[in-house]
Amino acid sequence: MEGTTVLVVDDEAKILEIVKTYLQRDGYTAFTAQTGAQAMSVMRDYPVSMLILDLMLPDMTGEEICRAVREQSEMPIIMMTAKTDEESVIGGLRLGADDYVTKPFSPRQLMARVSAALRRSRVGGPPVDTSLRGLHLDEKNRRVSKDGKVVRLTPSEYRILALLMSTPHKIFTRDEIIYAIKPDDYDGFDRTIDTHIKNLRHKIEDDLKSPRYVVTMHGFGYRYGDRQ
């Protein structure tokens, strides 16, 4: 996500370091803050695209920051919290948070949630209308065609293709793809993603041995577009 700036707010330096490292590895620009005051200062001075926010800070609560941000911005907000009770989570979501992770959390799962939240935040913008060598995706009408002929995809296959086409040549990890197609039942060990990719390729690729639309980046994940 070149050009996407994420602010991570947590009073634990180790958590900030880990999350920042993962964000930068995935191509994001990352800022960190250990207090609410620092977070508000960063958001005044820089064009932040997304907020990852701990609910328990030394000077302000995460809920207070979330409320202040929502008065000025619709940027995606993911809460990080050690509070596992349902009322705390529901309260944060009602204030305008888009998602949450409970501590301790998997950094890989957090990155998948970051990618999904950013993608959902673009839904209100212009619909994706993308073509590549005869393959065409019309997101407004949720239709895929190849060489002018409609390709019938399952909902999961469509979501995978739409995700990959949303940012051509960006490598999406398996975790990001899994979370995008079933965010309410996330399981980083779910191997059914391989079956979805295989079935999708059978429907859109001319040569399964050398795919040109859904390309495997061994050891990393998948991306849309020819190999570079």
Side-chain angles (χ1 to χ4, degrees):
M1 287 290 190
E2 184 177 352
T4 300
T5 300
V6 182
L7 171 60
V8 189
V9 188
D10 196 295
D11 60 348
E12 297 184 48
K14 187 172 183 178
I15 288 179
L16 292 179
E17 180 182 354
I18 292 172
V19 176
K20 182 177 181 179
T21 297
Y22 272 80
L23 286 167
Q24 292 176 332
R25 184 202 65 178
D26 284 2
Y28 301 99
T29 298
F31 289 102
T32 61
Q34 290 186 278
T35 68
Q38 289 175 357
M40 301 304 289
S41 177
V42 170
M43 287 186 283
R44 283 193 299 268
D45 295 339
Y46 298 95
V48 174
S49 305
M50 180 175 195
L51 181 63
I52 301 175
L53 176 65
D54 182 23
L55 291 185
M56 301 175 70
L57 298 169
D59 59 338
M60 299 173 65
T61 67
E63 289 90 346
E64 289 173 326
I65 296 174
C66 186
R67 186 182 297 109
V69 170
R70 278 291 170 260
E71 291 177 355
Q72 304 177 25
S73 172
E74 292 299 318
M75 75 171 72
I77 299 175
I78 295 179
M79 301 184 304
M80 294 190 297
T81 177
K83 299 178 180 180
T84 57
D85 63 286
E86 186 177 29
E87 286 305 313
S88 295
V89 172
I90 290 175
L93 295 174
R94 284 175 175 169
L95 285 174
D98 298 276
D99 202 350
Y100 71 94
V101 294
T102 56
K103 297 179 178 180
F105 58 86
S106 160
R108 292 174 62 204
Q109 183 179 147
L110 177 59
M111 292 305 101
R113 291 177 181 271
V114 166
S115 177
L118 285 168
R119 174 169 168 75
R120 289 194 297 268
S121 74
R122 297 197 297 268
V123 170
V128 174
D129 189 356
T130 307
S131 298
L132 175 68
R133 292 190 177 182
L135 186 68
H136 178 78
L137 184 142
D138 176 2
E139 194 170 52
K140 180 179 180 180
N141 297 302
R142 299 184 66 82
R143 180 183 302 164
V144 175
S145 60
K146 182 180 177 183
D147 299 327
K149 296 181 180 179
V150 174
V151 179
R152 300 191 182 281
L153 302 179
T154 67
S156 291
E157 292 164 1
Y158 176 86
R159 292 190 191 103
I160 291 171
L161 184 61
L163 175 68
L164 298 179
M165 293 181 79
S166 69
T167 313
H169 301 301
K170 168 182 162 46
I171 300 173
F172 288 89
T173 66
R174 291 180 72 258
D175 287 347
E176 288 175 320
I177 296 172
I178 292 170
Y179 187 73
I181 67 175
K182 55 173 195 173
D184 297 326
D185 188 24
Y186 182 92
D187 180 359
F189 298 99
D190 188 343
R191 305 300 298 184
T192 60
I193 188 66
D194 300 325
T195 301
H196 291 313
I197 293 288
K198 179 180 178 180
N199 292 339
L200 175 60
R201 281 175 168 162
H202 272 283
K203 294 178 181 181
I204 65 175
E205 300 287 358
D206 295 318
D207 184 355
L208 294 177
K209 294 182 179 180
S210 183
R212 60 177 180 170
Y213 299 121
V214 179
V215 178
T216 300
M217 306 302 291
H218 294 288
F220 297 96
Y222 300 93
R223 68 177 173 82
Y224 172 75
D226 296 298
R227 291 180 177 84
Q228 292 178 326

